[in-house]
Amino acid sequence: MLAERITLVPQGRVPLAEQIYRQIRDLARHGRLPSGMALPSSRALAGQLGVSRNTVSAAYDLLRAEDLVITRPGAVAVLNIPATFALTDRRVQTVGRPVSLAPAGHALSAPLPATVEGARLRPGRPDPRLFPRDAWARALRRAGRTLSGDALLYGDSHGLAALRRVLARTLAETRGLHVDPEHLLILPTVRAGLGLLARCLCADGDSVWLEEPGYPGAMQAFGTLRRVALPVDGNGADVSAMPQGAPRLIYVTPSHQYPTGTRMSLSRRLALVARARECGALVVEDDYDSEFLWSGRPVPALGALAEAGEVATLGTVAKSLLPGLRLAWLAAPPHLAPALIRAQTSLGLMANVHAQAALADFMDGGQYRRHLERISRIYRNRGEALRGALLAHCGNHVAIPPLIGGLHMAVRFAPGVDDVAVSTALGQAGFGVPPLSQFYQGRGSPGLVVAFAQADEATTREFATRLAQLLA
Amino acid sequence: MLAERITLVPQGRVPLAEQIYRQIRDLARHGRLPSGMALPSSRALAGQLGVSRNTVSAAYDLLRAEDLVITRPGAVAVLNIPATFALTDRRVQTVGRPVSLAPAGHALSAPLPATVEGARLRPGRPDPRLFPRDAWARALRRAGRTLSGDALLYGDSHGLAALRRVLARTLAETRGLHVDPEHLLILPTVRAGLGLLARCLCADGDSVWLEEPGYPGAMQAFGTLRRVALPVDGNGADVSAMPQGAPRLIYVTPSHQYPTGTRMSLSRRLALVARARECGALVVEDDYDSEFLWSGRPVPALGALAEAGEVATLGTVAKSLLPGLRLAWLAAPPHLAPALIRAQTSLGLMANVHAQAALADFMDGGQYRRHLERISRIYRNRGEALRGALLAHCGNHVAIPPLIGGLHMAVRFAPGVDDVAVSTALGQAGFGVPPLSQFYQGRGSPGLVVAFAQADEATTREFATRLAQLLA
């Protein structure tokens, strides 16, 4: 009897009619009810299940809407189950080909070098305890209450106008970058910007020059592009070391090279822009943490040197506020901006409107600047303390250039030291500091990339002691 | 004299030292100061500018950090301007090639069919006045105050665990879709999901089947893929009309076809899944507005019929709450989910964490369901009123099938009516209703796509009257 095979949950979230419909459907699907079977009348089934007749009628209506039941005038309702509806596990496993990844899918999903165990001193993370939580929560609430109309709908897909305006002013003041707010794209992440530029400017087989050592996330965001290593030394990336080749993109971190922490010299920056102009390449400047450059003033963004649209500059609040806000921006070359904005829309690379409004608030009222000043001091102290401790404990086993800013430092070892082994051993002690050699596409120098954003005194002491033991 | 060429703003946002540095730098850059020129001593320049000597020293330090000044012990500071640093407008315009778009960039930024002037009855927009503004603002504030630690940093890049859990439960209850929360990707937009799938599963030259008429946004998100029209009739998209071809993707809107508003029949859905399995294609189900299906119960998501990973289902709160929240999701086939999640990270397709937490709150507490019930009633009334008015005023000049849900309807005209002209005339009256023929890749039937989300009584009456005049 059908009613015996149906179990109802009277107070469940799912309406009773829907429960009856689904269970009959699932029985049919699993081959437990034959096609052509006459269904009991709604009155009969209702009586057996202890529900109202309307409930069963509604369930039958759902089955009818699904074409699973046929009713002819004056006749009983009959199950009508297409052969292809029924499932057997065997059939599912044997028929057809599974959907598979294309080459770009493999490239984009290639696992990064094994991440080191341990959360302490892991690069790329600000200290969430320094986030101005209550002020941000209030700004969000205000945004939630006041934003209205078109801003909440599709608005400008390249970002809230108020944010683009204040951001343009801030970039001019702090980065020497003069950009029309109409040429600023607000994006969820820097990587979304990298992906957008790669997709719009490159075809398969094109090449991109990437700093070596460099940012693994960028290597991955560029997917199937041919990656060519651009050497980095104490003056930053050096295009003069590349006698030939016409890349489409040149990805650099000039104000604070990732991960070595060097600053690109003016002559290198000029050479880079000139070379890009010669070969029609776009320089992609990742200005990921220039908010925290404390040695002298930060040099202007590379984009400030480019007058003919050779540079696109990317920035983010992932380090200055929080990664979870998913707020970044791209200052696009004027001649590419309209196309990039349309492509941004096509690819749906948009950021949450309330977070945008909150950031505009923060920047407009000076709160953002004061926050940066405060955390810069704190990070600087933590960085100097960690560097001092490492130099004191590890002596000449390590080389660490003076810090100019940021949230991390590259600690270099003597050639021949197995940095993977050192990193693994530190991982077991809870320190997630990757080996420097992992930041090279080819063979790299040994060392560690160590973040100090969350380095309190105890952590600093323990780390320095452990590293000294490992290197001794 | 150098001091005469420098103008300081004493109470400006930019520190005085920075102002002096920048102005000297800009003079040099524009060829107004010769390389090799001796700078005045810091004491002298300070006296002339009326600032402290430290201020000028700091400015000189900045120039030195930029390699623009050379100081030898015991000698005066000398300007050192690389030839490539100086700018002339002529040089910028004539040297080098501008960066240009690749074919994918052209495809992704191709303008959509001319949008119609006028904001009223424009498709794709919910009524922002129905958004539960205060409740959302409170939820945001709560999220801002309570979220901490790793969720604020990088957390799970495929989304906040709490949201994925409640969303998985909701999809099971409302869409019959049983998906492991680990296989759910939280994305900023549905288009980001389309872009992710296209990028990961397709290579250039591969083809995608797209409903005809269909969603122009999807056509664009698929970029350079070969687009093949999949015919739609009163039972939805029909793969049996495609005797050959092996697409990589099949994009469909089965629960409420966009823009015709039809629902795909069960036999069509079964045929679609079977065909996809045969040729190794992925069905991309855009479940964009199934929250508002009021005729009978919504049929289960197509993904509920797929047992071997043939379907990826996309959803969003763009219609049920607001597009500006930039919150969408992708229920990925289990065998593809890990790779898609890694690619999502590479491409930076992440959503704001506070909005995610607020949505999890809304869904968990039943607020979301109650909101949907409320706005469904309102939208249904508006839709039925608009349809009734159009049928009453325009008689047999229009055909509009009964509405099953959503926020828009397709109004069909008799063959031969110039729908572009009608749409343009309506645009001049402030109605942004696109011609139906624009939703076809080839030649299409005439009509209009009319949204009723914001259709109040007066708008409905005015629109029906105008349309009747135009069609008479």
Side-chain angles (χ1 to χ4, degrees):
Chain A
M1 205 168 85
L2 183 57
E4 289 167 356
R5 304 166 77 172
I6 294 177
T7 313
L8 297 181
V9 184
Q11 308 295 334
R13 285 171 173 246
V14 181
L16 288 173
E18 181 99 8
Q19 294 185 38
I20 298 170
Y21 149 72
R22 284 198 202 163
Q23 291 184 48
I24 296 179
R25 188 178 179 281
D26 288 348
L27 287 167
R29 188 134 209 244
H30 290 94
R32 305 218 179 95
L33 293 176
S35 194
M37 180 185 119
L39 290 174
S41 73
S42 51
R43 183 190 301 271
L45 186 59
Q48 290 154 3
L49 291 173
V51 300
S52 83
R53 189 176 164 188
N54 281 346
T55 300
V56 175
S57 296
Y60 283 8
D61 282 347
L62 290 171
L63 289 166
R64 216 172 277 118
E66 272 265 63
D67 306 332
L68 285 169
V69 157
I70 301 176
T71 326
R72 291 203 188 73
V76 294
V78 165
L79 273 182
N80 166 51
I81 305 162
T84 47
F85 188 61
L87 280 182
T88 68
D89 288 344
R90 208 168 141 268
R91 180 168 143 263
V92 165
Q93 285 163 15
T94 53
V95 175
R97 306 186 256 149
V99 185
S100 60
L101 295 179
H106 284 291
L108 288 167
S109 67
L112 284 176
T115 42
V116 192
E117 291 292 313
R120 288 186 291 172
L121 307 190
R122 182 180 287 284
R125 293 149 181 249
D127 185 344
R129 288 163 304 183
L130 299 181
F131 176 61
R133 187 146 83 166
D134 289 340
W136 188 262
R138 280 194 301 274
L140 275 183
R141 189 185 193 191
R142 203 157 45 235
R145 290 193 151 170
T146 56
L147 277 183
S148 65
D150 205 46
L152 297 175
L153 296 175
Y154 293 93
D156 289 329
S157 62
H158 60 311
L160 201 63
L163 176 59
R164 286 185 287 107
R165 270 197 305 273
V166 66
L167 186 56
R169 209 168 65 221
T170 305
L171 290 174
E173 285 168 6
T174 61
R175 310 296 300 123
L177 199 60
H178 295 276
V179 49
D180 183 333
E182 279 311 302
H183 301 154
L184 273 174
L185 284 66
I186 309 296
L187 298 158
T189 58
V190 164
R191 287 190 193 205
L194 299 178
L196 175 68
L197 292 170
R199 194 82 188 106
C200 286
L201 299 177
C202 303
D204 276 348
D206 280 347
S207 62
V208 52
W209 288 355
L210 286 152
E211 293 170 334
E212 167 112 325
Y215 173 46
M219 295 185 205
Q220 209 169 27
F222 290 124
T224 45
L225 292 180
R226 212 153 51 81
R227 302 193 285 239
V228 179
L230 175 63
V232 167
D233 61 21
N235 290 313
D238 181 11
V239 282
S240 76
M242 313 293 281
Q244 50 206 358
R248 292 287 297 165
L249 300 175
I250 307 177
Y251 172 83
V252 287
T253 50
S255 28
H256 190 226
Q257 204 274 331
Y258 195 86
T260 65
T262 59
R263 181 179 289 173
M264 194 185 290
S265 69
L266 178 63
S267 55
R268 287 274 174 87
R269 282 182 281 138
L270 291 166
L272 173 58
V273 171
R275 179 69 176 268
R277 192 184 299 150
E278 264 167 45
C279 58
L282 181 72
V283 178
V284 182
E285 172 181 33
D286 188 349
D287 207 36
Y288 66 102
D289 73 355
S290 59
E291 293 87 355
F292 308 123
L293 300 186
W294 56 67
S295 164
R297 284 263 158 180
V299 296
L302 187 63
L305 286 177
E307 307 279 325
E310 307 88 347
V311 179
T313 302
L314 286 155
T316 172
V317 297
K319 306 287 180 279
S320 57
L321 290 169
L322 283 178
L325 302 183
R326 307 300 182 187
L327 280 178
W329 53 83
L330 169 66
H335 73 290
L336 293 176
L340 290 175
I341 290 168
R342 288 196 299 271
Q344 173 188 15
T345 312
S346 297
L347 294 171
L349 308 177
M350 275 78 92
N352 176 266
V353 72
H354 295 118
Q356 291 188 61
L359 181 59
D361 241 28
F362 257 53
M363 286 188 155
D364 229 358
Q367 235 172 330
Y368 185 65
R369 191 169 42 79
R370 288 192 298 275
H371 167 69
L372 285 179
E373 284 163 9
R374 175 174 159 256
I375 63 175
S376 275
R377 269 197 307 277
I378 297 173
Y379 286 143
R380 177 177 192 157
N381 290 340
R382 290 179 184 171
E384 303 287 11
L386 182 60
R387 178 168 182 265
L390 289 175
L391 291 176
H393 282 76
C394 307
N396 47 17
H397 293 293
V398 298
I400 316 173
L403 306 181
I404 63 169
L407 303 181
H408 73 275
M409 65 181 84
V411 177
R412 289 187 183 275
F413 298 157
V417 175
D418 180 352
D419 63 355
V420 176
V422 173
S423 163
T424 307
L426 289 165
Q428 285 155 4
F431 294 105
V433 292
L436 182 60
S437 57
Q438 263 181 9
F439 293 73
Y440 291 75
Q441 299 179 59
R443 217 183 132 75
S445 327
L448 293 173
V449 179
V450 184
F452 48 77
Q454 303 191 35
D456 55 31
E457 273 188 51
T459 307
T460 293
R461 205 175 322 116
E462 187 190 336
F463 182 72
T465 315
R466 290 242 174 208
L467 183 58
Q469 288 163 356
L470 289 166
L471 292 177
Chain B
M1 206 168 83
L2 183 58
E4 287 167 356
R5 304 166 76 172
I6 294 176
T7 313
L8 298 181
V9 184
Q11 308 294 334
R13 286 172 174 245
V14 182
L16 290 172
E18 181 101 7
Q19 294 185 38
I20 298 170
Y21 149 72
R22 283 198 203 163
Q23 292 184 47
I24 296 179
R25 187 177 180 282
D26 287 348
L27 288 166
R29 188 138 209 239
H30 291 94
R32 304 215 181 95
L33 293 177
S35 193
M37 181 186 118
L39 289 174
S41 73
S42 52
R43 184 190 302 270
L45 187 58
Q48 290 153 4
L49 291 173
V51 301
S52 83
R53 189 177 163 188
N54 281 345
T55 301
V56 176
S57 296
Y60 283 7
D61 282 347
L62 291 171
L63 289 165
R64 216 171 278 119
E66 271 265 63
D67 306 331
L68 285 169
V69 158
I70 302 176
T71 325
R72 291 204 187 73
V76 294
V78 166
L79 273 181
N80 166 52
I81 306 162
T84 46
F85 187 60
L87 280 181
T88 68
D89 289 345
R90 206 166 143 268
R91 177 167 146 266
V92 165
Q93 286 163 14
T94 54
V95 175
R97 306 186 256 149
V99 185
S100 59
L101 295 179
H106 284 290
L108 289 167
S109 67
L112 285 176
T115 42
V116 192
E117 291 292 313
R120 289 186 291 172
L121 307 190
R122 181 181 288 284
R125 292 147 181 252
D127 185 344
R129 288 163 304 186
L130 300 180
F131 176 61
R133 188 145 82 163
D134 289 340
W136 188 262
R138 279 194 302 275
L140 274 183
R141 188 184 194 193
R142 204 158 43 237
R145 290 193 150 170
T146 55
L147 276 182
S148 66
D150 205 47
L152 297 175
L153 296 175
Y154 294 93
D156 289 330
S157 62
H158 60 311
L160 201 64
L163 176 58
R164 286 185 287 108
R165 270 196 304 271
V166 65
L167 186 57
R169 208 168 65 220
T170 305
L171 290 173
E173 284 169 6
T174 61
R175 310 297 299 123
L177 199 59
H178 294 276
V179 48
D180 182 332
E182 279 311 302
H183 301 154
L184 273 174
L185 282 65
I186 309 297
L187 297 158
T189 59
V190 164
R191 288 191 193 205
L194 299 179
L196 176 68
L197 292 170
R199 195 81 188 106
C200 286
L201 299 177
C202 303
D204 275 348
D206 280 347
S207 62
V208 53
W209 287 356
L210 287 151
E211 292 170 333
E212 167 113 323
Y215 172 47
M219 294 184 204
Q220 211 171 24
F222 290 124
T224 44
L225 292 180
R226 213 154 49 82
R227 301 193 286 238
V228 179
L230 176 64
V232 167
D233 61 21
N235 289 314
D238 180 11
V239 283
S240 77
M242 313 293 280
Q244 49 205 1
R248 290 288 296 165
L249 300 176
I250 307 176
Y251 172 82
V252 288
T253 50
S255 25
H256 190 227
Q257 205 274 331
Y258 195 85
T260 64
T262 58
R263 182 178 288 173
M264 193 184 290
S265 68
L266 179 63
S267 56
R268 287 273 174 89
R269 284 183 279 138
L270 291 167
L272 173 58
V273 172
R275 180 69 176 267
R277 191 184 299 151
E278 263 166 46
C279 59
L282 181 73
V283 177
V284 183
E285 171 181 35
D286 188 350
D287 207 37
Y288 66 103
D289 74 354
S290 57
E291 293 85 353
F292 308 122
L293 300 186
W294 57 67
S295 164
R297 282 266 158 177
V299 297
L302 188 61
L305 286 176
E307 306 280 326
E310 306 89 347
V311 179
T313 302
L314 286 155
T316 172
V317 297
K319 307 288 179 275
S320 58
L321 290 169
L322 283 179
L325 302 183
R326 307 299 181 188
L327 280 177
W329 53 84
L330 168 67
H335 73 290
L336 293 176
L340 290 174
I341 290 168
R342 286 195 301 268
Q344 172 187 17
T345 312
S346 297
L347 294 171
L349 308 178
M350 274 78 91
N352 176 266
V353 72
H354 295 118
Q356 292 187 61
L359 181 59
D361 242 28
F362 258 52
M363 286 187 155
D364 228 357
Q367 236 171 330
Y368 185 65
R369 189 170 42 80
R370 287 191 301 274
H371 168 69
L372 285 179
E373 283 163 9
R374 174 174 161 256
I375 63 175
S376 275
R377 271 195 308 277
I378 296 173
Y379 285 144
R380 177 176 193 159
N381 289 340
R382 291 180 185 172
E384 302 286 14
L386 182 61
R387 178 169 182 264
L390 290 175
L391 291 176
H393 282 77
C394 306
N396 47 18
H397 292 292
V398 298
I400 315 174
L403 306 181
I404 63 169
L407 303 181
H408 73 276
M409 65 182 83
V411 177
R412 290 185 182 275
F413 298 157
V417 175
D418 180 353
D419 63 355
V420 176
V422 173
S423 163
T424 306
L426 289 166
Q428 284 154 7
F431 294 106
V433 291
L436 183 60
S437 57
Q438 263 181 10
F439 292 73
Y440 290 75
Q441 299 178 60
R443 218 183 132 75
S445 327
L448 293 173
V449 179
V450 184
F452 48 77
Q454 303 191 34
D456 56 30
E457 273 187 53
T459 307
T460 293
R461 206 177 320 116
E462 188 191 336
F463 181 74
T465 315
R466 290 243 172 208
L467 183 59
Q469 288 162 357
L470 288 165
L471 293 176

